[in-house]
Amino acid sequence: MSTPAGPSEVRVRFAPSPTGYLHVGGARTALFDWLFARQHNGTFILRIEDTDVERSSEEMTRGILDAMTWLGLHWDEGPYFQSKRLDLYRELAERLVSGGHAYLDEGAIRFRVPEGRVTYQDAVFGEISVESDTIENFVLLRSDKHPTYHLSVVVDDIDMRISHVIRGADHISNTPKQILLYRALGASLPVFAHLPLILGPDKTRLSKRHGATSVSAYQEQGILPEAMRNFLALLGWAPGNDQEMFDDEALIQAFSLQGISKANAVFNPEKLAWFNAQYIARLPHDKVVEYLRPEYAKVGLWRDSFEKEDREWFRSLIDLYRPRAKVLQDFPRQSRIFLTDHVEFDPTAVEKFLKDETVRGHLRRLADRLAALPEFNHHSIEEAVRGLANELGVKPGVLMNPARVALTGQSVAPGLFDVMVLFGRENTVQRLRLS
RNA sequence: GUCCCGUUCGUCUAGCCCGGUCUAGGACACAGCCCUUUCAAGGCUGCAGCACGGGUUCGAAUCCCGUACGGGACGCCA
């Protein structure tokens, strides 16, 4: 075995089993591990627990790594694969047998649980204490010579000099068994910190029947990794004050094991959506474009000029929709009116605003007015529109609501003057005249 | 069933360790109002909670005990 970690050296690991996708619970655990490592200038290790040959798969491993990368949880060591370390587990299982700590049972090796009470201090839950006669002699090595979870996790945590075991609270009752194993192997204990579970709205463990649970599903739904991180950080942890918006630096600063809650938390997708909207509204333009490029490309609306000659125009377009978007897909969906020549008219809106012949006459006059403007910008357009309304003796809305429909085909759109600027004078005038 | 753990607005939570400053604070959602060219965004206001019962104490969301409810673990799964 390697030498134990020094007292100040923080080494944590995230150890998923590649028997499924990375779900939000696992992601939250990984995030806390990562935050803790970063805060202490420690090492974040990724270990794949693939000792169940039947259920583990490479695609799942791939998916987990991708999801971690998308979430921005970069690991410093690994991924280590337990399937490549089988000899080590066998060797130690045999050592435990010869030391009298374990025994053969029909081809498997079982741990001999000693009498007494096992007590430890959990960094989150405080003292946890169990009478060892409630613990069965558990299997360490299966008859096929593959280790069980308890053996491999303890052996690896010792070997990899893990200083803090941060994992889900579903492992609390496993911990005494593992502590017994540490003792039998003559190793010192890491700090154990168990995280409260994430539940569905019905307070049962979050699962597929509650809706999307995999990180990649949220990625596909147009959730930003920044938003996901911020949201997940606040599930089971709180800074002790009222702050809610955290960038990574602030999160790393503020995070602490003391701030972790003992009570399970219900996953609230609406709050996630709110965080997402906040980040969409706030992220730097280049970052947003980076996320948006594939979304526009997906629906055939991306043009390379958005990053070249039309850069400023595209920036204005994006800014117009930032406060209106909840997910990334909202951008192409809502802004497509600016990106295709074809206008689709909403029949209800047409019926309501463009039926009246007088109104259409007004719009043609407005078109003339706009065509004659020396400058075509937000301010000059506003003056022209309000001026004309005044001359006609009508409220500005009488002009503006029909104009909006004439331009966009819809009764719901961003501010009319912004819309006109974005369309440009020619396009605006033409669409008004065609109405 | 046995063992372990938890319980503050519908939800995420602050406060609890070190009892009075808590007529319990913030956020999401919801409702109303304001802003306003529609829709958002934003601002303001409102709705709503210490699971229950004992005890300790001058005083308990905060400490102790019990009950109820909830969760987790009891696999040659992890």
Side-chain angles (χ1 to χ4, degrees):
Chain A
M1 296 262 108
S2 316
T3 48
S8 60
E9 190 187 349
V10 166
R11 291 174 61 83
V12 295
R13 63 3 177 229
F14 176 56
S17 170
T19 53
Y21 300 102
L22 181 65
H23 56 91
V24 294
R28 200 272 311 257
T29 301
L31 173 65
F32 283 24
D33 272 303
W34 180 81
L35 286 172
F36 190 72
R38 288 291 166 273
Q39 182 178 61
H40 295 277
N41 286 310
T43 306
F44 178 45
I45 297 159
L46 181 59
R47 186 173 73 215
I48 305 298
E49 310 225 319
D50 55 350
T51 54
D52 184 341
V53 201
E54 301 288 300
R55 301 197 304 147
S56 299
S57 84
E58 264 176 54
E59 301 101 271
M60 292 302 176
T61 301
R62 180 79 265 151
I64 289 169
L65 300 191
D66 288 348
M68 299 256 311
T69 302
W70 175 76
L71 245 194
L73 305 181
H74 307 296
W75 54 94
D76 307 305
E77 276 184 30
Y80 296 114
F81 291 87
Q82 292 192 324
S83 58
K84 294 187 179 150
R85 301 163 57 83
L86 300 177
D87 288 344
L88 179 62
Y89 312 127
R90 286 170 198 161
E91 187 192 321
L92 285 166
E94 277 155 27
R95 190 187 299 178
L96 286 168
V97 174
S98 38
H101 295 293
Y103 60 94
L104 257 68
D105 175 32
E106 293 178 17
I109 292 178
R110 265 182 204 278
F111 186 71
R112 197 191 311 275
V113 174
E115 287 186 8
R117 180 162 269 275
V118 185
T119 303
Y120 80 98
Q121 282 296 325
D122 193 287
V124 172
F125 286 87
E127 181 175 300
I128 307 257
S129 187
V130 180
E131 197 58 51
S132 65
D133 60 17
T134 64
I135 306 173
E136 279 191 312
N137 287 349
F138 53 95
V139 171
L140 297 174
L141 203 67
R142 305 176 237 203
S143 8
D144 67 1
K145 303 303 173 199
H146 280 81
T148 63
Y149 165 69
H150 293 298
L151 210 219
S152 58
V153 77
V154 170
V155 167
D156 280 351
D157 284 344
I158 295 170
D159 190 51
M160 295 173 188
R161 292 142 51 223
I162 300 302
S163 62
H164 298 255
V165 171
I166 303 172
R167 59 185 3 173
D170 48 341
H171 287 293
I172 286 180
S173 8
N174 290 328
T175 306
K177 293 180 191 169
Q178 293 169 12
I179 286 173
L180 257 18
L181 259 179
Y182 275 91
R183 288 184 189 156
L185 290 166
S188 57
L189 296 181
V191 173
F192 290 99
H194 287 97
L195 275 23
L197 265 22
I198 299 179
L199 311 178
D202 60 355
K203 306 274 181 110
T204 65
R205 211 170 168 163
L206 190 68
S207 73
K208 276 119 291 192
R209 62 202 171 76
H210 296 117
T213 57
S214 75
V215 169
S216 59
Y218 286 97
Q219 177 184 6
E220 282 155 26
Q221 282 176 26
I223 299 294
L224 265 36
E226 287 86 350
M228 194 69 180
R229 251 177 277 151
N230 200 148
F231 170 70
L232 249 23
L234 261 19
L235 260 195
W237 172 82
N241 56 39
D242 290 337
Q243 187 176 351
E244 293 224 280
M245 296 294 294
F246 287 92
D247 60 29
D248 287 344
E249 279 68 30
L251 213 47
I252 290 165
Q253 272 272 323
F255 185 75
S256 77
L257 297 182
Q258 289 72 40
I260 297 174
S261 158
K262 294 183 181 70
N264 294 163
V266 173
F267 186 85
N268 181 356
E270 283 173 335
K271 188 137 186 186
L272 208 209
W274 176 79
F275 272 113
N276 207 45
Q278 294 292 316
Y279 277 93
I280 283 176
R282 267 153 232 219
L283 246 33
H285 182 253
D286 290 343
K287 195 80 193 165
V288 177
V289 171
E290 181 189 320
Y291 291 133
L292 249 23
R293 188 186 303 118
E295 297 302 328
Y296 276 103
K298 220 178 284 176
V299 291
L301 293 175
W302 177 257
R303 289 178 221 147
D304 288 337
S305 66
F306 293 163
E307 289 181 311
K308 294 171 188 152
E309 66 268 29
D310 293 331
R311 194 185 143 84
E312 285 314 306
W313 180 84
F314 190 63
R315 178 196 288 269
S316 307
L317 176 89
I318 296 307
D319 285 347
L320 224 47
Y321 285 99
R322 275 175 183 262
R324 278 162 252 262
K326 283 233 180 302
V327 294
L328 291 172
Q329 290 83 344
D330 288 338
F331 283 89
R333 197 181 294 145
Q334 295 173 9
S335 68
R336 93 175 284 124
I337 46 170
F338 292 103
L339 301 171
T340 59
D341 292 329
H342 180 69
V343 192
E344 266 190 53
F345 284 92
D346 169 24
T348 319
V350 171
E351 179 71 22
K352 187 167 177 195
F353 291 110
L354 291 181
K355 251 322 214 13
D356 193 298
E357 190 48 53
T358 320
V359 164
R360 285 156 63 186
H362 290 165
L363 290 186
R364 282 191 287 277
R365 284 189 66 176
L366 178 60
D368 295 341
R369 227 21 108 83
L370 295 174
L373 242 33
E375 296 271 322
F376 193 76
N377 56 43
H378 186 109
H379 180 71
S380 65
I381 294 170
E382 176 155 13
E383 279 198 327
V385 172
R386 294 197 188 277
L388 179 61
N390 201 26
E391 288 169 32
L392 293 169
V394 297
K395 285 191 210 160
V398 173
L399 233 44
M400 294 173 73
N401 290 322
R404 180 178 303 107
V405 179
L407 287 168
T408 68
Q410 300 159 0
S411 56
V412 172
L416 184 64
F417 311 130
D418 291 323
V419 165
M420 286 181 169
V421 170
L422 219 49
F423 268 129
R425 190 200 299 253
E426 304 222 343
N427 222 331
T428 300
V429 169
Q430 192 188 18
R431 291 194 188 200
L432 286 177
R433 284 191 175 138
L434 252 49
S435 62

